Amino acid sequence: MSKDELPNLLMSKPIPIAVVGSGYVGLVAAVCFAEMGHPVICVDNDERKVKALRGGDTLIHEQHLPELLGRYRNDRVRFTTDLGEATRECDAIFIAVGTPQSETGDADLSYVEAVTCEIARSITSYKVIVEKSTVPVYTNEWISRALERNGVERNLFDVVSNPEFLREGTAVVDFLHPDRIVVGADSERAGAILRDIYSPLTSGEYYQRPDGIAGCCSVSEPPPLLTTSTKSAEIIKHASNAFLALKISFINAVSNLCEATNANVEQVARGMGLDTRIGPKFLRPGIGYGGSCFPKDVAAFRSVAEQLGIDFNLLKEVEKINVQQKKRFVSKVRSAVWNLRGKKLAVLGLAFKGDTDDIRESPAVDIISMLLNEGCSITAFDPAAVERTRQILPEGDNMRYAPDAYEAAKDADALLILTDWAEFAELDLRHLNQLLRYPIIIDGRNLYDPAVMIDHGFTYLSVGRPVVHPARDMASASTNI
Ligand code: UDX
């Protein structure tokens, strides 16, 4: 579709929006707001990023992003470094800058503060300032205070919390087909502007578009918009991520129990998940959660609780189980190959999960680092994350990268699966068996049926399920090999 033919889809009124920060959340929000019909200015202080985005480089590996950026770039979405101009031109300013983890576990809000002070210098008419980044409770009050300290009259702004729940890999679909939209607003005027911004979704209008991005919402089932107080919205975001992390640590702890008893965690998770009060999602055992959100948000939420004098040690346990899960996996590798020193291991997966090139807090990278420290040599493959990993684990005598899974497997003492890429669940097992020095697979993501692995002659160790060996039948399989 050419830019002249951009769909004039909306009966809802377009609202000029500034999005500050062109990272995962900011960039996806910017193109999705444009897709919903709003004119958007996306601001970043990194000139190289702005130039790349203007030129059509998406910077991140994300489904639908190239398509939407192609549709709206330099038209309904403009990229700039000029935050002052964006503030003056727009009614709503979404802050989507990074909130990295500080040494104490707190969220480091210095970027949010810097952006707030810069916005303050350009406010001459009423603006809604929206927290889109994940921030701790009370941040809205700090933003208000900073704006006032920098000379902005109280009647010229409101601060709203509108947390984002998108997942990497499915970010665009998650944004346009959300389970819910949370608007934390203490002022009716600001709440109404946010409701207008999201009305293409909440009214179902967007889902009538023939060229709209498909997902689970529809005209008859548009997403609900929940209006809360600003503080409640801030807590909803941290509590949601912490709860999902807790679910993962819970099933990982259960998987350890299953390993100790020769039970099968997949059966246990299914049995639990069929209870509608529990639900089947986020009960996949593995090597622990990673990524740019869960580790940081659990630590930040714990830190908020500590500062408020609340005993929330449950979150410490969630973190502890997550760290142990990676160590357990390394022990599992040792149990399969005997001594680690000098072993040549093939590793499939570097990204923190499938469908992304993101390696931030990736359990795969942590496990590789531990194995390298133990004296193993590694040949790794990932469909998207090799280049990023090379920067922190450079190629050397013990660390090599292969162009595909089969090259990685050649002459290895065992093969490890560390990321749940779909293509790793569809390997040519016969071929793999011929390539490996010993037919041993240690699967941290439970991508295979143990019975299939026996049929293909593998010793197969997975998470929370009995170890299986080709020479023995399933019934006599034990956890020791
Ligand atoms: C997460 C939240 O899902 C999202 O709502 C929030 O906005 C950002 O953080 P994301 O980090 O993209 O999204 O990844 P997600 O798909 O949630 O997975 C996080 C980690 O948990 C990954 O390492 C994944 O492999 C792991 N995971 C997930 C499990 O180990 N088991 C599961 O059942 C689910």
Side-chain angles (χ1 to χ4, degrees), residues 94-357:
F94 284 73
I95 301 179
V97 295
T99 53
Q101 189 175 332
S102 69
E103 275 171 21
T104 51
D106 295 335
D108 172 355
L109 298 176
S110 53
Y111 298 121
V112 176
E113 183 180 358
V115 164
T116 304
C117 295
E118 210 179 323
I119 291 171
R121 285 198 277 280
S122 305
I123 295 186
T124 50
S125 60
Y126 178 79
K127 308 286 173 191
V128 186
I129 315 294
V130 190
E131 303 168 348
K132 198 64 165 159
S133 312
T134 302
V135 290
V137 63
Y138 286 121
T139 303
N140 73 91
E141 292 191 2
W142 278 107
I143 293 176
S144 296
R145 209 173 295 169
L147 290 169
E148 284 188 85
R149 279 181 186 162
N150 283 279
V152 187
E153 284 174 33
R154 190 63 195 83
N155 61 339
L156 285 186
F157 73 88
D158 279 305
V159 181
V160 168
S161 168
N162 170 224
E164 186 46 57
F165 301 97
L166 56 80
R167 288 163 300 175
E168 293 187 18
T170 53
V172 169
V173 174
D174 288 344
F175 194 98
L176 294 168
H177 294 265
D179 286 351
R180 77 303 205 188
I181 297 159
V182 175
V183 172
D186 297 328
S187 110
E188 181 42 40
R189 185 179 184 186
I193 292 177
L194 266 286
R195 282 196 292 279
D196 282 348
I197 288 175
Y198 283 103
S199 71
L201 304 186
T202 52
S203 67
E205 255 180 83
Y206 177 72
Y207 309 112
Q208 291 174 330
R209 265 178 58 178
D211 65 338
I213 303 285
C216 57
C217 295
S218 61
V219 182
S220 55
E221 282 193 63
L225 185 145
L226 176 71
T227 307
T228 68
S229 73
T230 318
K231 283 186 205 144
S232 297
E234 289 169 335
I235 293 176
I236 286 171
K237 174 64 196 188
H238 264 159
S240 299
N241 272 4
F243 188 77
L244 291 170
L246 178 145
K247 255 187 127 175
I248 297 169
S249 278
F250 188 90
I251 199 66
N252 280 336
V254 171
S255 78
N256 299 337
L257 210 124
C258 290
E259 282 177 14
T261 52
N262 257 357
N264 182 330
V265 72
E266 299 293 338
Q267 294 172 358
V268 174
R270 185 158 160 71
M272 288 170 63
L274 283 170
D275 184 328
T276 50
R277 294 168 303 174
I278 297 172
K281 293 182 181 164
F282 278 72
L283 284 181
R284 271 182 293 115
I287 50 175
Y289 58 79
S292 65
C293 292
F294 284 175
K296 171 172 80 81
D297 292 349
V298 173
F301 201 34
R302 172 174 54 71
S303 174
V304 166
E306 266 163 28
Q307 285 166 33
L308 294 169
I310 312 286
D311 177 350
F312 208 161
N313 283 332
L314 178 63
L315 296 178
K316 279 195 185 145
E317 291 302 316
V318 170
E319 291 175 314
K320 199 168 123 194
I321 293 168
N322 203 49
V323 170
Q324 279 169 351
Q325 199 65 8
K326 293 179 264 196
K327 294 184 181 158
R328 266 186 85 89
F329 188 81
V330 172
S331 303
K332 201 171 278 179
V333 178
R334 186 183 283 113
S335 77
V337 302
W338 193 9
N339 296 296
L340 287 173
R341 180 157 302 282
K343 287 288 158 29
K344 185 175 174 329
L345 302 174
V347 166
L348 301 189
L350 300 163
F352 80 97
K353 64 173 189 177
D355 288 328
T356 177
D357 59 352

